[in-house]
Amino acid sequence: MSVKNILVVGVGGQGTLLTSRILGNLALNNGYDVKLSEVHGMAQRGGSVVTHIRFGEKVYSPLVEIGHADVIVAFEKMEALRWAHYLKKDGVMIVNTQEINPMPVITGGAEYPSDLVEQIKGKCDKTIFIDALSHARELGNFRVVNTVLLGELAKHLDFDVEQWEKAIEITVPKKTIEINTKAFKSL
């Protein structure tokens, strides 16, 4: 297997790090060499968070190079656009349609761009937009946005559903296994 390169991007507090750990455990459970690198930019204040996840027979660096990501999972539209240049030509961008205002928008110094969907589509040939937050709320827990998005990611990676469920089970808090598994299978 060639090395898979995945970026998980979002805003602090959205569950991107837990998502990355589920993905890392999934690859480890299947015998792959796994490297993860987390970058928390002011994450405590709603800042940008990105995790590089690389797995394969042998991985030498934890960082995904620009233009080499097979898949980007974006928890927020502006973060999707911010990291789109990391996606390779035939890569897949999975975007949660949620909008979280950055500090310049909150303070009135700027407006949240209204044309982000068009901008993202202009940079990525294969883009999937999902209203994962509404979907998670319909399931009864807005915190499972991450496993809703993992359900979509699973369609683009070669692991069995049972392998995904095992990774979710060993990673999330025990009291949330059932709702996270339900969210994973919901799309």
Side-chain angles (χ1 to χ4, degrees):
M1 170 191 210
S2 61
V3 173
K4 284 285 185 189
N5 298 302
I6 300 171
L7 285 184
V8 176
V9 303
V11 173
Q14 286 192 289
T16 60
L17 300 180
L18 180 62
T19 302
S20 302
R21 290 183 185 123
I22 292 170
L23 191 53
N25 281 332
L26 173 70
L28 275 175
N29 289 346
N30 285 279
Y32 293 113
D33 186 22
V34 180
K35 301 281 189 290
L36 273 86
S37 178
E38 300 169 351
V39 178
H40 313 236
M42 301 291 284
Q44 297 296 324
R45 298 180 185 163
S48 181
V49 178
V50 59
T51 305
H52 297 239
I53 303 124
R54 303 185 73 220
F55 61 90
E57 298 301 325
K58 186 65 184 164
V59 179
Y60 295 99
S61 168
L63 299 178
V64 176
E65 292 180 40
I66 291 172
H68 285 80
D70 296 290
V71 182
I72 296 176
V73 180
F75 280 58
E76 200 274 336
K77 287 193 302 190
M78 195 174 300
E79 294 303 314
L81 183 62
R82 183 188 319 268
W83 296 97
H85 62 291
Y86 272 79
L87 194 65
K88 69 182 188 182
K89 183 74 177 159
D90 61 343
V92 176
M93 173 77 85
I94 299 169
V95 183
N96 179 17
T97 58
Q98 185 176 359
E99 296 177 359
I100 297 176
N101 290 333
M103 194 53 70
V105 174
I106 292 170
T107 60
E111 290 185 19
Y112 194 95
S114 61
D115 62 345
L116 282 178
V117 169
E118 292 77 19
Q119 289 189 56
I120 294 166
K121 285 180 177 176
K123 292 181 180 276
C124 308
D125 292 337
K126 298 178 186 173
T127 308
I128 300 162
F129 292 94
I130 300 169
D131 186 353
L133 180 59
S134 293
H135 202 73
R137 285 182 174 143
E138 288 171 11
L139 293 169
N141 188 335
F142 72 92
R143 292 190 174 118
V144 296
V145 164
N146 52 359
T147 43
V148 170
L149 293 170
L150 280 177
E152 182 59 35
L153 175 62
K155 298 173 185 175
H156 305 280
L157 298 177
D158 294 327
F159 295 105
D160 295 336
V161 171
E162 294 78 21
Q163 295 168 322
W164 281 96
E165 289 175 345
K166 175 76 174 165
I168 291 168
E169 183 181 324
I170 65 172
T171 310
V172 303
K174 285 192 186 309
K175 65 183 180 184
T176 67
I177 291 172
E178 184 178 344
I179 187 67
N180 276 291
T181 302
K182 185 176 178 183
F184 174 76
K185 294 178 174 178
S186 65
L187 291 180

